[in-house]
């Protein structure tokens, strides 16, 4: 490949006590690529996601982001580097309004700490006002601008997920990582989400999607990594992955896989 | 097509802060009796103490029950630096705040990585230790009778009660402006994010441990400023500053005024200082009445009196929605 990957996961290995949750998993994401990460429950998707986002360190293996090794860098370093994520169980700030939640995505761009902020008092007002405009644009993008001032309690699960995505987008990430964005959404909401991801893809956004909704992921992704029992069993285009015997076996059962061939 | 120029975002106005300060500045002109001025000084002192706690717990979600220790420590340090080292009041002020900042940093460093109640317990333990030392290390602290705080002087003369009042008001104004700036800025947003969900805050690039440590130190320094206000008002510092009743007053104030609100600490302080004047007959039951108030407010008015007025989300909601509407308006005008 001529273009260097934006994310490179190399020989990732994670042990929880006696359980090997992730065993030698490697894959790459090219700029502009939308990659899916699928697998049955307990396959190790969330654990992989957590290691890439710095929530837990791998036992061994390496993670590279834009040519920098970030394996053991803490979670808070990811956003300034250009990586943003959402959560499988939506984690919005319940004491903040919808708009303020999205504004939190811009936090690393603000001066850090009291003294730094007081020193830049003059430009702070302007930055706040520009950030608000940007946050409202993002809320418009996800179709929730009219909810800007609402408390989080007033949102449906589907809306909360969209706010989570808007918040992740606020930092203008080069890699957007979504953990089961379609979980708990109804059909209309899932379609809406699919359209939105398609728009982001058209704009050149690189994404990593963890999903168990196969239909959704087949449509949304360029390539798909399939995991089972902590091991990568397939990596390729949706069509290739669908034909893979191991994948069928993992999803439907060994006998079905044999019957296919 | 050029990007439409948007009107500046409306931010909650600083006006109410100036109203509070203006009222504060007028008090000595209106209420001439020394008794009321002393009460007013106590209101500011408690307000300063509680603003620190409000930032720490109401906004950043970290409980320190040791605030009275920092309050007391600030006052002792301010007095001792003058008496034992001969420092001038201004230098002693800076020195005592730096001292309290270092102490709270040392306490916070190992604790903030742990869950919230460890911080609460450890700071409470620190308060007991601090109070014990103040009581028992008689040679240094004067024990029960405490130490005298040198009176403030101006051009060689002791400043009068009004002068002391305006000094206290000046210190309170600094804290009030900082408190308000923090709440209205991105830093307040960051603190609330940590309070609501540390993991999510971290994922958005917030250095959670560092933030918590900074707020703890800031709240301790604010408590120390309150202690100094008390010292220059009463001209004496004794172990009663870090006794349990101070903690009870503090909790009553923040709960009645409203935790996590802009003006809860001031409103709560006015009430808690005024209440005993109304309830003089209850003398011995004061603490019990405070406790009852805390319970009633926690159950029926969890955002306190200030929460009633600020209505927590209302102003944010109005502002943000107005923002969105106006943006659309501007875009429309730009197009047509
Ligand atoms: N904190 C943990 N401690 C022990 N085992 C864990 C922990 N987190 C995940 N696991 C185990 O690791 C395996 C992979 O889990 P996970 O990554 O959550 O799978 P998925 O997201 O694909 O459903 C599972 O067997 C799970 O039980
Ligand atoms: Mg999972």
């Amino acid at each position: 490949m001529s273009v260097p990957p934006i994310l490179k996961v190399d020989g990732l290995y994670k042990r929880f006590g006696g359980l090997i949750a992730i065993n030698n998993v490697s894959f790459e994401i090219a700029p502009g690529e939308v990659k899916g990460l699928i697998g049955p429950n307990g396959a190790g998707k969330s654990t992989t996601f957590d290691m890439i986002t710095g929530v837990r360190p791998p036992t061994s293996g390496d993670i590279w982001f834009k040519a920098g090794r970030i394996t053991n860098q803490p979670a808070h370093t990811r956003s300034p580097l250009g990586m943003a994520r959402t959560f499988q169980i939506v984690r919005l700030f319940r004491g903040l309004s919808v708009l303020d939640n999205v504004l939190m995505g811009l936090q690393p761009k603000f001066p850090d700490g009291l003294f730094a902020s007081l020193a830049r008092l003059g430009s702070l007002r302007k930055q706040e006002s520009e950030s608000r405009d940007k946050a409202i644009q993002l809320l418009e993008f996800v179709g929730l601008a009219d909810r800007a001032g609402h408390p989080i309690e007033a949102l449906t699960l589907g809306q909360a997920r969209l706010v989570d995505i808007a918040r992740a987008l606020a930092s203008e990430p080069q890699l957007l990582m979504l953990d089961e964005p379609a979980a708990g959404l109804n059909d209309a909401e899932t379609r809406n989400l699919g359209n939105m991801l398609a728009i982001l893809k058209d704009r050149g956004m690189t994404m990593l999607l963890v999903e168990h909704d196969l239909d959704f992921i087949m449509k949304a992704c360029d390539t798909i990594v399939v995991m089972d029992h902590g091991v990568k069993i397939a990596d390729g285009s949706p069509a290739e992955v669908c034909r893979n015997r191991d994948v069928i076996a993992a999803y439907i059962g060994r006998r079905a896989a044999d019957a296919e061939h | 097509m050029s990007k439409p120029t948007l009107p500046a975002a409306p931010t909650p106005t600083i006006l109410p802060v100036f109203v509070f300060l203006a009222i504060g500045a007028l008090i000595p002109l209106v209420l001439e009796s020394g008794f009321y001025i002393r009460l007013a000084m106590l209101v500011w002192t408690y307000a300063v103490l509680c603003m620190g706690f409000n930032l720490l717990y109401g906004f950043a979600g970290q409980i320190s029950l040791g605030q009275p220790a920092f309050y007391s420590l600030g006052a002792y340090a301010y007095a001792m630096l003058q008496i034992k080292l001969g420092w001038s009041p201004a230098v002693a002020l800076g020195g005592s705040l730096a001292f309290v900042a270092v102490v709270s940093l040392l306490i916070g460093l190992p604790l903030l990585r742990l869950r919230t109640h460890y911080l609460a317990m450890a700071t409470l333990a620190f308060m007991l230790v601090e109070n014990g030392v103040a009581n028992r290390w008689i040679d240094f602290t004067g024990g029960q009778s405490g130490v005298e705080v040198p009176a403030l002087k101006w051009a060689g003369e002791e400043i009068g009660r009004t002068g002391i009042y305006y000094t206290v008001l000046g210190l309170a104004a600094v804290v009030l402006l900082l408190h308000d700036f923090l709440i209205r800025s991105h830093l307040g947003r960051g603190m609330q994010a940590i309070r609501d969900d540390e993991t999510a805050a971290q994922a958005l690039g917030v250095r959670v441990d560092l933030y918590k440590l900074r707020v703890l130190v800031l709240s301790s320094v604010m408590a120390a400023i309150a202690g100094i206000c008390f010292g220059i008002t009463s001209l004496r510092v004794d172990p009663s500053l870090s006794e349990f009743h101070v903690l009870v007053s503090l909790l009553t104030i923040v709960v009645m005024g409203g935790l996590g609100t802009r003006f809860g600490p001031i409103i709560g302080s006015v009430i808690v200082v005024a209440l005993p004047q109304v309830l003089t007959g209850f003398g011995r039951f004061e603490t019990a009445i405070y406790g009852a108030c805390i319970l009633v407010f926690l159950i029926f008015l969890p955002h306190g009196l200030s929460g009633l007025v600020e209505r927590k989300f209302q102003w944010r909601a109005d502002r943000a929605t107005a923002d969105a509407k106006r943006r659309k308006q501007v875009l429309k005008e730009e197009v047509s």
Side-chain angles (χ1 to χ4, degrees):
Chain A
M1 213 188 286
S2 54
V3 192
I6 193 163
L7 181 82
K8 184 174 165 183
V9 171
D10 188 16
L12 219 51
Y13 185 89
K14 179 73 184 179
R15 182 197 284 278
F16 288 115
L19 175 83
I20 297 169
I22 306 292
N23 195 352
N24 195 28
V25 167
S26 305
F27 61 86
E28 294 181 355
I29 305 179
E33 184 181 0
V34 178
K35 190 168 233 35
L37 180 56
I38 62 172
N41 245 335
K45 306 182 294 290
S46 290
T47 306
T48 304
F49 204 89
D50 282 351
M51 289 189 287
I52 297 173
T53 53
V55 175
R56 41 178 104 238
T59 310
S60 68
D62 266 318
I63 301 160
W64 299 76
F65 183 63
K66 296 194 293 180
R69 207 172 75 106
I70 56 163
T71 315
N72 290 308
Q73 306 270 328
H76 70 75
T77 60
R78 298 300 198 270
S79 169
L81 281 176
M83 193 192 277
R85 70 168 296 180
T86 65
F87 292 88
Q88 181 175 347
I89 298 157
V90 182
R91 307 185 79 132
L92 293 176
F93 306 116
R94 308 197 67 81
L96 294 179
S97 68
V98 169
L99 184 66
D100 277 343
N101 264 276
V102 179
L103 278 166
M104 274 307 295
L106 292 157
Q107 193 75 353
K109 300 211 161 59
F110 280 93
D112 185 27
L114 178 59
F115 295 122
S117 303
L118 287 174
R120 288 211 260 146
L121 205 52
S123 64
L124 212 52
R125 222 186 142 83
K126 187 158 163 276
Q127 187 178 9
E128 176 80 15
S129 138
E130 286 168 0
S131 303
R132 278 169 187 281
D133 291 340
K134 197 170 157 197
I136 286 174
Q137 271 169 19
L138 285 164
L139 285 172
E140 272 168 7
F141 173 66
V142 300
L144 290 173
D146 57 330
R147 295 292 153 113
H150 288 231
I152 297 305
E153 295 97 89
L155 301 179
T156 64
L157 174 65
Q159 291 171 331
R161 262 188 213 288
L162 294 176
V163 173
D164 196 359
I165 292 174
R167 185 175 71 175
L169 287 171
S171 61
E172 292 180 349
Q174 283 145 294
L175 173 64
L176 178 64
M177 304 187 37
L178 306 171
D179 197 355
E180 307 221 5
L185 301 194
N186 64 33
D187 287 350
E189 287 172 330
T190 307
R191 265 198 308 280
N192 179 27
L193 178 69
N195 293 338
M196 214 170 301
L197 297 187
I199 295 172
L200 287 175
K201 181 173 158 45
D202 284 346
R203 290 185 190 169
M205 178 69 76
T206 313
M207 288 184 268
L208 175 64
L209 297 183
V210 171
E211 247 319 326
H212 63 224
D213 184 336
L214 279 180
D215 229 28
F216 182 82
I217 209 149
M218 293 293 165
K219 278 188 206 131
C221 298
D222 300 317
T223 55
I224 294 172
V225 168
V226 189
M227 290 181 67
D228 188 24
H229 291 108
V231 182
K232 183 174 98 170
I233 57 171
D235 188 351
S237 72
E240 284 165 5
V241 163
C242 279
R243 273 183 265 119
N244 187 304
R245 281 169 55 95
D246 292 333
V247 175
I248 299 166
Y251 265 91
I252 307 165
R254 184 61 57 188
R255 206 173 297 154
D258 291 339
E260 288 258 319
H261 289 262
Chain B
M1 201 177 82
S2 69
K3 203 170 170 281
T5 44
L6 301 172
T11 44
T13 163
I14 197 170
L15 199 71
V17 175
F18 291 128
V19 172
F20 277 113
L21 291 177
I23 294 172
L26 290 176
I27 282 176
L29 310 178
V30 182
L31 306 170
E32 273 157 26
S33 122
F35 175 72
Y36 286 118
I37 291 183
R38 258 198 300 279
L39 283 187
M41 289 196 273
L42 197 57
V43 168
W44 288 117
T45 301
Y46 273 145
V48 169
L49 177 66
C50 295
M51 281 190 268
F53 186 76
N54 190 40
L55 290 175
L56 183 66
Y57 183 49
F59 283 87
Q62 311 300 310
I63 306 184
S64 157
L65 295 178
Q67 294 310 93
F70 300 117
Y71 175 65
S72 155
L73 220 48
Y76 271 110
Y78 174 74
M80 297 295 191
L81 288 173
Q82 293 181 71
I83 298 167
K84 310 258 169 182
L85 300 181
W87 291 15
S88 73
V91 181
L93 172 73
S96 53
L97 298 187
F99 171 68
V100 169
V102 170
V103 172
S104 63
L105 188 71
L106 293 177
I107 292 175
L109 222 43
L111 287 172
L112 284 167
R113 285 167 190 283
L114 304 172
R115 290 283 146 240
T116 314
H117 60 268
Y118 283 97
L119 182 64
M121 275 158 31
T123 46
L124 187 62
F126 173 67
M127 180 179 112
L128 299 177
V129 171
E130 196 271 352
N131 188 255
V133 172
N135 261 315
R136 306 276 152 68
W137 192 10
I138 296 169
D139 293 344
F140 189 65
T141 64
Q144 283 284 322
S145 50
V147 289
E148 203 174 303
V149 179
L152 284 174
K153 291 201 172 84
W154 183 259
E157 298 226 3
E158 283 187 18
I159 61 172
R161 189 187 299 116
T162 315
I164 294 173
Y165 175 82
Y166 282 115
T167 309
V168 169
L169 181 65
L171 289 170
V174 171
V175 173
L176 180 56
L177 287 168
L178 275 181
H179 179 259
D180 208 63
F181 169 72
L182 281 169
I183 290 174
R184 292 184 302 125
S185 73
H186 62 285
L187 295 168
R189 206 154 50 221
M191 288 193 280
Q192 294 177 77
I194 289 173
R195 176 194 65 196
D196 292 347
D197 194 324
E198 288 187 14
T199 309
Q202 217 145 22
L204 296 167
V206 177
R207 290 143 86 191
V208 171
D209 290 343
L210 183 64
Y211 245 82
K212 288 202 269 188
L213 200 56
R214 283 168 172 167
V215 185
L216 177 70
V217 171
L218 182 68
S219 77
S220 308
V221 168
M222 287 182 173
I225 295 176
I228 294 166
C229 288
F230 184 89
I232 59 182
T233 311
S234 65
L235 301 181
R236 183 157 284 281
V237 186
D238 61 46
S240 70
L241 265 76
S242 50
E243 272 166 14
F244 198 64
H245 71 87
V246 177
L247 184 59
V248 174
S249 301
L250 179 146
L251 293 175
T252 315
I253 289 168
V254 292
V255 169
M256 288 179 75
L259 259 175
T261 63
R262 274 174 87 193
F263 303 109
I266 295 187
I267 294 169
S269 298
V270 171
I271 294 169
V272 165
V273 171
L275 208 57
Q277 311 312 316
V278 186
L279 304 175
T280 36
F282 294 87
R284 286 179 300 139
F285 298 106
E286 212 175 276
T287 305
I289 290 172
Y290 283 180
C293 285
I294 293 181
L295 281 178
V296 168
F297 271 76
L298 281 178
I299 295 166
F300 297 107
L301 264 183
H303 297 301
L305 290 172
S306 193
L308 270 184
V309 184
E310 292 177 26
R311 259 182 248 147
K312 211 157 169 62
F313 277 110
Q314 201 59 55
W315 56 269
R316 286 196 195 120
D318 290 345
R319 174 179 46 147
T321 321
D323 241 4
K325 280 205 185 112
R326 209 157 30 147
R327 218 182 140 268
K328 279 202 182 119
Q329 195 67 34
V330 171
L331 283 172
K332 252 185 226 146
E333 283 163 11
E334 208 80 24
V335 170
S336 58

